[in-house]
Amino acid sequence: MNADPLAHVRDLFDLDDDVVYLDGNSLGAPPRHVAERVRDVIRHQWGGRLIRSWSEGWWETPERVGDRVGRLVGAAPGQVVVADSTSVNLFKALMAAVRGTDRSEIVVDAGTFPTDGYIARSVAELTGLELRAVDPERLDVSPATAVVLLNHVDYRTGRLLDMAALTAQAHAAGAKVVWDLCHSAGVLPIELDRLGVDLAVGCTYKFLNGGPGSPAFIYVPTHAQADFHQPLTGWTGHEAPFAMTPGYVPDPGVSRARVGTPDIISMLALDAALDVWDGVDLKDVRAKGLALTAHFRSLVEGLPGVEVITPDSPWRGHQVSLRHPDAAVLMERLVERGVIGDHRPPDVLRFGFAPLYNTFEEAERAAAALAALL
């Protein structure tokens, strides 16, 4: 393999060298320094400074950490806020996108991650719009379409969509587009600002390594913030949250996407985890991810009963998905042997490759374990 410009980054993670961890597309590994940073938050910021910490940096944390995430998804400062969960942020985004529309439908990726489909259906029911599922590779947007919801990387197959082309197609039909970046943030260069994306959401506990249940993020471009009217008008989204006035007036900027009190401990754990991205070029991350997945694919293609369902082209995320009739049992046995991927019913094995810490040697160990089982 060529020299790995990211090899040194692995040392920043707390990993067991006896385990091959290929499930970073579900839960990223912890950077070593996060535990000590969280201890400081609990002992000093909370335990020592008590409520004074709110005015010593806590209150602005969602926007500050949002800007750090924004750098990784192509958003200039002031357009990303970290808050709530992906599902909650998606609800905000879709409701804001269809507010006041005279159009009649929401279009959703037919293979979408289930929660996206559930939220989209709830929004359709609440607003009286129709919900139409489509294959995004044959996207059909009509004058009736108010908004299109798309997953940048398919969670099951790893297929990557062309954000530029599909965003342009939706806009040409007068529709807005909301992108779910859960499986692409921290995987490849994303250019939300340059491509004119209307709204985007994503989680931080996968390739961004924020920890289990770490808060999600929402992107609202500067030009759209004045018209971003989301339905969850909580006090922290108010322009003067501590004025405690009876009427709601939204913050003029991206803070209007906030709802309730920030999850400070989780958010500051994410803040610490994002340090591993300092000095990292996403082009290097993307190049290594494509090389890792190509190498692993070359080792597992042709194994008995295995069908590779991840695209054999650059139009993929950083995972390799295999179909096998005994997928659930195979993954259970792989985990017993120290190779951790995951299973998606009924018959899919997923192996996620995080370029910041996964190695080519780990790809070979995983493939050899699978071959031995088969």
Side-chain angles (χ1 to χ4, degrees):
M1 297 297 158
N2 294 329
D4 178 5
L6 302 175
H8 66 286
V9 183
R10 179 182 171 89
D11 293 336
L12 302 178
F13 287 85
D14 189 8
L15 294 163
D16 181 350
D17 288 335
D18 292 330
V19 173
V20 176
Y21 188 63
L22 300 180
D23 207 6
N25 54 329
S26 286
L27 176 65
R32 291 183 186 276
H33 67 285
V34 170
E36 183 57 37
R37 192 80 63 84
V38 171
R39 278 192 290 270
D40 176 73
V41 171
I42 294 172
R43 292 175 180 173
H44 175 68
Q45 297 182 34
W46 177 18
R49 300 302 294 164
L50 298 168
I51 200 168
R52 290 172 291 185
S53 285
W54 280 112
S55 58
E56 295 171 351
W58 278 5
W59 185 259
E60 299 81 15
T61 299
E63 292 82 6
R64 181 177 61 80
V65 179
D67 284 344
R68 299 191 75 186
V69 174
R71 182 182 75 82
L72 301 175
V73 295
Q79 300 181 107
V80 174
V81 67
V82 172
D84 305 307
S85 67
T86 306
S87 298
V88 172
N89 286 336
L90 183 58
F91 180 74
K92 300 174 195 174
L94 288 177
M95 288 293 288
V98 302
R99 182 184 175 95
T101 186
D102 58 0
R103 298 188 171 210
S104 61
E105 70 172 13
I106 298 169
V107 168
V108 64
D109 183 339
T112 191
F113 189 78
T115 194
D116 291 30
Y118 305 154
I119 295 295
R121 182 163 297 282
S122 292
V123 171
E125 291 172 351
L126 287 168
T127 58
L129 275 64
E130 296 294 322
L131 185 66
R132 181 165 62 91
V134 303
D135 179 348
E137 295 189 8
R138 292 185 289 276
L139 183 63
D140 172 23
V141 186
S142 77
T145 307
V147 62
V148 180
L149 169 60
L150 297 170
N151 293 92
H152 198 195
V153 172
D154 186 284
Y155 81 101
R156 187 180 296 271
T157 68
R159 175 209 60 202
L160 170 67
L161 293 180
D162 187 336
M163 181 180 286
L166 293 173
T167 298
Q169 183 180 350
H171 289 172
K176 295 180 180 178
V177 61
V178 176
W179 284 95
D180 182 330
L181 309 179
C182 283
H183 288 85
S184 60
V187 169
L188 67 157
I190 299 171
E191 300 178 298
L192 296 180
D193 284 352
R194 189 181 73 81
L195 298 181
V197 169
D198 297 288
L199 297 160
V201 301
C203 66
T204 63
Y205 52 78
K206 299 182 190 295
F207 291 110
L208 296 182
N209 311 301
S214 59
F217 64 89
I218 182 168
Y219 163 80
V220 185
T222 301
H223 68 83
Q225 288 170 6
D227 294 323
F228 181 77
H229 298 289
Q230 56 106 346
L232 301 177
T233 49
W235 75 291
T236 71
H238 196 288
E239 70 169 355
F242 295 99
M244 306 298 175
T245 58
Y248 182 81
V249 180
D251 183 272
V254 74
S255 297
R256 64 174 53 206
R258 291 174 60 165
V259 181
T261 306
D263 301 321
I264 288 298
I265 296 176
S266 290
M267 200 169 296
L268 291 178
L270 166 63
D271 187 27
L274 291 172
D275 288 352
V276 300
W277 292 94
D278 292 345
V280 169
D281 189 329
L282 276 164
K283 292 180 181 177
D284 291 335
V285 175
R286 180 57 171 159
K288 183 179 177 182
L290 286 174
L292 277 168
T293 50
H295 185 51
F296 181 73
R297 182 190 186 106
S298 73
L299 297 171
V300 299
E301 281 183 312
L303 290 179
V306 166
E307 176 193 359
V308 183
I309 61 173
T310 300
D312 184 16
S313 77
W315 291 103
R316 64 176 184 270
H318 290 182
Q319 73 184 60
V320 177
S321 295
L322 312 177
R323 183 170 282 130
H324 190 282
D326 296 324
V329 173
L330 280 172
M331 186 53 70
E332 182 179 347
R333 291 180 178 171
L334 283 169
V335 172
E336 290 170 355
R337 288 159 174 77
V339 175
I340 302 177
D342 66 18
H343 162 246
R344 287 292 177 264
D347 58 358
V348 174
L349 297 154
R350 293 195 318 170
F351 300 90
F353 289 85
L356 295 191
Y357 54 80
N358 284 134
T359 67
F360 292 94
E361 187 265 343
E362 287 179 321
E364 292 162 4
R365 287 166 58 189
L370 180 59
L373 285 174
L374 291 172

